[in-house]
Amino acid sequence: MRITVTTTRRAATAALLVTATLTLTSGCHDGGGSRADGPATAVSPAPDLPSSNDGGGPPPGPDGQAVCTPEMLRFQAGAMPRRPRRMLLTVTNFSDRPCAFAAQPYPLLRFGGDRRTPLPVIEASEPSAAVSLPPNRTAYALITTSAARGPDGKRHRGRKISQFGVALTAHATPTQVGLDGRAPVHVDPHTAAVTYWQPTLAAARKW
């Protein structure tokens, strides 16, 4: 057969096609001889879904405001000067978010080893609206540590306490609050009571 330049070029082209086919065939198998899943493609990470509670803040309460939680608050308590059988509990919001006590409008207090039920609330002390607490603001609750006379008509001094538990919801673990100066106060858990959270000190002092 007569060899020409055209024939030579056709042979070279055919050889290149065979080489490319063999390369592609071997590329479709992994190192162990099994078929690969397919060509690798760059996949962007899935976008973060928006969270209903983005930022880790407390969940909203019934009125849409965040519920006050112990992590947002600073508690203080102590006997009230010249007010027998009265103790004042204050709570300050030191977080950067406002919160509200709408879900539980009065503190749930437990003294000593008495775990049966928290102190009853003084119903007449309920304010016209649940207390909201902006950052750096304080709310108040007044505690009557004992009644002038017990159910039997006698006066009971109760027992001395230097700290007590405060819970903001029924199933929460109480936060232990020490009294200012650690001065013990006589409390009778059977006749003591607490007000609703009050927006001002003057409102709390009425009780």
Side-chain angles (χ1 to χ4, degrees):
M1 179 178 65
R2 185 181 178 182
I3 300 175
T4 64
V5 174
T6 302
T7 304
T8 303
R9 287 177 178 175
R10 287 177 178 175
T13 301
L16 289 173
L17 288 173
V18 171
T19 302
T21 301
L22 292 174
T23 302
L24 289 172
T25 302
S26 62
C28 292
H29 296 79
D30 59 16
S34 60
R35 189 175 184 275
D37 293 335
T41 56
V43 179
S44 299
D48 293 331
L49 296 177
S51 171
S52 60
N53 187 26
D54 209 11
D63 60 353
Q65 292 192 56
V67 173
C68 293
T69 62
E71 296 76 15
M72 305 171 69
L73 307 174
R74 183 179 295 109
F75 298 90
Q76 287 183 288
M80 295 188 70
R82 299 180 297 278
R83 294 291 304 277
R85 302 187 306 278
R86 297 292 187 274
M87 188 162 58
L88 186 67
L89 171 65
T90 66
V91 58
T92 302
N93 180 3
F94 67 88
S95 76
D96 58 358
R97 302 182 302 275
C99 65
F101 294 108
Q104 176 57 52
Y106 59 89
L108 303 173
L109 307 184
R110 289 181 170 86
F111 292 91
D114 188 358
R115 303 292 181 185
R116 293 173 296 175
T117 57
L119 292 190
V121 67
I122 301 172
E123 293 290 351
S125 68
E126 183 176 6
S128 58
V131 171
S132 297
L133 205 56
N136 300 314
R137 296 293 296 273
T138 300
Y140 308 83
L142 186 133
I143 304 162
T144 57
T145 57
S146 63
R149 294 288 185 270
D152 55 4
K154 297 180 180 179
R155 181 175 179 179
H156 297 270
R157 287 178 59 82
R159 60 173 178 265
K160 287 183 178 181
I161 61 105
S162 57
Q163 66 176 13
F164 58 94
V166 179
L168 300 179
T169 59
H171 302 291
T173 301
T175 299
Q176 293 299 311
V177 178
L179 303 186
D180 291 345
R182 293 286 176 178
V185 172
H186 283 92
V187 174
D188 179 10
H190 301 288
T191 60
V194 63
T195 66
Y196 283 81
W197 289 115
Q198 305 294 319
T200 65
L201 178 58
R205 289 180 62 88
K206 293 179 181 179
W207 307 96

